[in-house]
Amino acid sequence: MNKVKLIAVFAENKPGQTARITGLLATAGVNVRWVTIASTGPFGVMKFLVDRPDAAFATLKQNGVAVSFLDVLAVEVTDRPGALHAVADCLAQNRLNLDNASGFVANRRAVLVIELHELERAQTLLQQAGLRVLTQAELLSL
Amino acid sequence: MFWDRVIETLERAALARLQLERLQTTAARVAARVPFYQRQLAARHVTPDHIRSLDDLRRLPFTTNADLRANYPEGLLAVDRRDVARLHTSSGTTGKPKALFFSRRDLDAAAELVARCFVMTGATADDVLQNMMTYGLFTGALMLHYGAEKVGLMVIPAGPGNSDRQLMLMQDFGTTIIHVTPSYALYFADLLEKRGLRPCRDLTLRKAYVGAEPYTEETRHKIEQGLGVDVYNCYGLSEMNGPGVAFECGQKHGLHVWEDNFLLEIIDPETSEPVSDGQPGELVLTTLNREAMPLLRYRTRDITALIPEPCPCGRTHRRIQRITGRADDMLIVRGVNVYPQQIERVLMGIPAVGRNYLITLDGLDDMSVQVELAESGFDGQVEHLVNLQNQIIERLRAETLVKPKVELVPPGALPVSEGKAKRVVDRRRL
């Protein structure tokens, strides 16, 4: 299936924590294509889409960082009103709960990154609704 | 295997006779030579002649931490200075240390006890001991060192810290046994994991003698898994020689106290009355085989319980439970007695929790606990972290009856110690 592998990092919510992680990635020559950082109180979780997830994981792990792979779906949506709704509606109709979502536009193509529990079923349903679910390679070559 | 089969398996009645004889000698010695004990005995109208049975022990005075400090530096010395072979001190958190003197004969007796401990756990002259305790004024490393040499092990006096060098020594010299504090053992296990080293493949460790700080059964399992060793609990205190006062045998169930050298009592720390066998209380020890600085009924402040049943290993010297707390470590939070070890037991029983934690008391009696997440305890899902946090809060509340704040932090975020760990910060101004 077309799941996309993100790198998720658990970090303290205090100054310098992001710089430590991005520094490790930079040193390892890993290119970050997209990032979100979310905090809940004292801790935060950073999620990265990188060109070389295995290398990123290895370098962070070696440096004692609590790191994990996280599988998500990347859905390409058209850059016009109602496009996001098409995705949300498809999931809602099928009673799938969206855990996290965030979007970006690259080279005039809009991509929605979604986290949910039943990835495989969601992919099938989204494709049946005529939406395009990107592979890791497709996402990275945008 | 026994180092001294006769004494280690001495029938109880004969052991009691030996104890009484040695208690009488000890009482006579301090009555003749130590002004502090002369005053204490006079105040109780007791002379050494009153000690006719082991029950008469209760007529003798207690000795406390404060008495040792008050008699610093040499008020409790029972031999001439020229007969002292070594000085150790026991650090206190405040004020002067306690000074502890050992004669040549005392040092040899201490090494004998350690030799019994080594052989009791199956150690032989083929073993290589890497002694990762602090060498110096602290008794931890030196007292164990000479016992190991007596048995014929090769000793690497590594001392604590400098983990890269520790690892190099282990690999280059084929270390099979380490002597280490629980906090450093956990730190070291963590380091191996980070380096991608597997102890069973990359090291030759077999046993770890872990002591100098109280720890829990859960911590024992973490160390055993992390280092690929059998962990033997080692108890001692500088006032009573240091390590080797009590030690686990192959059963790994309770620590044999060498009763020919120490008379043991377990009392209620509040009332000073004996508790019944098997009940928790403060361990009180009287030295039975010491000449430079005998101590009567020393209040260790360590909380344990007697295991009255005979041990399947055949030794007649009774066992105590692992130390569950220090009477001095007890925290009173919102009127409830909480031991840091209770918190450790809860935390180390949760797989997603890492190896380090810090308890902070703040404000008007708020307890918060910072807990390191295990490296494998993170799966990228924030919800799981929130659930884990709530689970820890609930389990701690159930165990201690105090609901703490819990803060999850990444592995390695908390300060690590290579000596004795600091687990509690009390910032309350009550």
Side-chain angles (χ1 to χ4, degrees):
Chain A
M1 66 171 291
N2 298 354
K3 64 190 175 195
V4 169
K5 212 193 242 185
L6 299 184
I7 294 289
V9 169
F10 172 59
E12 270 177 295
N13 189 6
K14 67 178 194 195
Q17 294 306 299
T18 307
R20 177 167 173 251
I21 305 299
T22 50
L24 290 168
L25 294 176
T27 309
V30 169
N31 190 20
V32 177
R33 302 296 302 271
W34 172 84
V35 61
T36 76
I37 303 180
S39 322
T40 43
F43 57 79
V45 172
M46 306 176 209
K47 293 169 192 165
F48 298 95
L49 172 68
V50 296
D51 56 349
R52 293 185 298 135
D54 293 325
F57 182 87
T59 193
L60 293 174
K61 187 91 188 159
Q62 251 167 33
N63 284 281
V65 175
V67 60
S68 161
F69 288 119
L70 182 66
D71 290 334
V72 297
L73 293 182
V75 189
E76 182 166 6
V77 291
T78 44
D79 194 1
R80 62 171 171 75
L84 175 58
H85 177 67
V87 176
D89 192 47
C90 168
L91 297 174
Q93 301 260 344
N94 293 287
R95 306 198 60 75
L96 278 167
N97 189 46
L98 203 53
D99 293 330
N100 275 303
S102 106
F104 61 92
V105 178
N107 293 329
R108 316 195 66 166
R109 293 169 75 182
V111 177
L112 188 64
V113 177
I114 58 176
E115 260 177 69
L116 33 64
H117 281 85
E118 298 172 73
L119 283 183
E120 198 145 2
R121 195 173 138 230
Q123 182 188 328
T124 314
L125 292 165
L126 289 165
Q127 284 169 336
Q128 281 167 3
L131 292 152
R132 199 160 159 235
V133 180
L134 302 176
T135 64
Q136 186 114 5
E138 285 168 338
L139 183 62
L140 287 171
S141 63
L142 280 185
Chain B
M1 280 200 297
F2 296 90
W3 173 254
D4 186 344
R5 180 186 291 271
V6 173
I7 201 79
E8 290 176 51
T9 61
L10 192 64
E11 184 228 328
R12 289 294 309 178
L15 186 55
R17 281 195 299 279
L18 178 64
Q19 287 179 317
L20 177 59
E21 191 184 297
R22 287 181 165 183
L23 179 64
Q24 288 165 334
T25 310
T26 299
R29 183 170 195 88
V30 297
R33 297 172 187 236
V34 183
F36 165 76
Y37 282 122
Q38 286 165 352
R39 289 194 301 276
Q40 294 280 325
L41 293 169
R44 297 175 150 241
H45 310 291
V46 177
T47 67
D49 297 337
H50 288 110
I51 309 298
R52 297 200 188 94
S53 77
L54 285 176
D55 289 337
D56 293 325
L57 174 67
R58 294 188 59 194
R59 306 178 71 156
L60 296 174
F62 287 114
T63 308
T64 65
N65 219 317
D67 294 329
L68 259 68
R69 288 184 207 289
N71 287 282
Y72 178 90
E74 43 189 74
L76 292 170
L77 193 57
V79 294
D80 291 336
R81 270 285 290 275
R82 72 183 307 276
D83 294 323
V84 174
R86 199 194 298 163
L87 167 75
H88 277 291
T89 64
S90 174
S91 59
T93 41
T94 52
K96 290 275 192 190
K98 290 164 271 184
L100 304 152
F101 299 97
F102 300 87
S103 69
R104 187 61 256 157
R105 184 177 165 282
D106 292 339
L107 292 174
D108 192 59
E112 274 291 308
L113 299 188
V114 171
R116 289 184 202 170
C117 300
F118 272 82
V119 175
M120 176 162 71
T121 63
T124 69
D126 294 323
D127 279 300
V128 176
L129 172 77
Q130 190 159 327
N131 198 351
M132 296 163 72
M133 291 283 182
T134 304
Y135 277 84
L137 286 167
F138 174 53
T139 50
L142 279 168
M143 285 298 186
L144 204 93
H145 180 109
Y146 290 101
E149 288 189 350
K150 220 177 228 289
V151 179
L153 283 82
M154 180 172 103
V155 183
I156 306 176
N162 197 343
S163 302
D164 286 314
R165 191 181 61 190
Q166 301 281 5
L167 190 56
M168 181 197 80
L169 291 167
M170 278 177 200
Q171 292 188 311
D172 293 352
F173 298 101
T175 302
T176 57
I177 305 179
I178 56 173
H179 177 217
V180 65
T181 61
S183 42
Y184 193 27
L186 290 171
Y187 173 77
F188 200 77
D190 202 38
L191 181 102
L192 293 184
E193 193 184 315
K194 269 185 207 144
R195 300 274 166 88
L197 293 170
R198 287 220 307 272
C200 297
R201 183 193 61 196
D202 303 313
L203 297 173
T204 48
L205 296 179
R206 305 284 262 276
K207 301 176 177 51
Y209 298 149
V210 178
E213 293 163 4
Y215 59 106
T216 59
E217 207 52 36
E218 286 77 11
T219 296
R220 183 214 297 264
H221 294 315
K222 284 211 169 182
I223 298 171
E224 290 192 328
Q225 281 164 17
L227 295 178
V229 292
D230 273 314
V231 166
Y232 296 91
N233 197 348
C234 162
Y235 172 75
L237 61 165
S238 294
E239 297 85 331
M240 301 284 139
N241 295 358
V245 171
F247 220 89
E248 280 181 337
C249 62
Q251 304 286 323
K252 296 203 284 189
H253 176 63
L255 299 89
H256 290 278
V257 178
W258 299 119
E259 292 189 85
D260 57 322
N261 275 248
F262 304 101
L263 205 49
L264 95 97
E265 298 170 83
I266 295 181
I267 66 167
D268 180 326
E270 303 292 323
T271 65
S272 302
E273 290 299 315
V275 299
S276 41
D277 283 2
Q279 291 304 304
E282 179 183 346
L283 179 66
V284 175
L285 296 169
T286 298
T287 62
L288 290 177
N289 191 24
R290 208 195 250 178
E291 55 181 24
M293 193 172 154
L295 293 174
L296 301 181
R297 305 187 80 194
Y298 184 70
R299 303 280 299 250
T300 66
R301 310 302 287 155
D302 288 323
I303 305 292
T304 182
L306 188 73
I307 303 176
E309 298 80 25
C311 184
C313 79
R315 288 174 182 79
T316 51
H317 299 241
R318 290 174 299 172
R319 289 166 296 164
I320 53 171
Q321 302 275 11
R322 66 168 58 249
I323 303 299
T324 54
R326 223 172 173 141
D328 299 335
D329 285 349
M330 191 182 76
L331 308 170
I332 302 178
V333 185
R334 295 175 209 161
V336 179
N337 297 352
V338 178
Y339 286 101
Q341 287 72 31
Q342 287 179 289
I343 293 173
E344 177 170 322
R345 191 158 59 232
V346 168
L347 295 179
M348 295 303 136
I350 302 176
V353 167
R355 300 186 173 102
N356 209 354
Y357 64 93
L358 184 68
I359 303 163
T360 306
L361 302 171
D362 219 337
L364 272 178
D365 239 5
D366 291 319
M367 179 165 79
S368 63
V369 187
Q370 286 176 293
V371 180
E372 272 186 17
L373 193 70
E375 272 174 42
S376 56
F378 178 60
D379 61 1
Q381 308 273 352
V382 183
E383 306 84 88
H384 292 173
L385 293 178
V386 176
N387 292 345
L388 175 64
Q389 198 174 19
N390 291 336
Q391 184 197 0
I392 295 171
I393 292 172
E394 186 41 43
R395 290 216 204 163
L396 286 176
R397 195 202 54 77
E399 170 73 29
T400 65
L401 308 177
V402 175
K403 185 174 175 181
K405 277 185 217 152
V406 166
E407 189 181 310
L408 287 175
V409 300
L414 296 175
V416 282
S417 65
E418 297 187 343
K420 289 200 180 200
K422 186 159 178 60
R423 301 292 200 190
V424 181
V425 176
D426 195 343
R427 285 200 290 252
R428 291 176 296 183
R429 279 178 292 167
L430 296 176

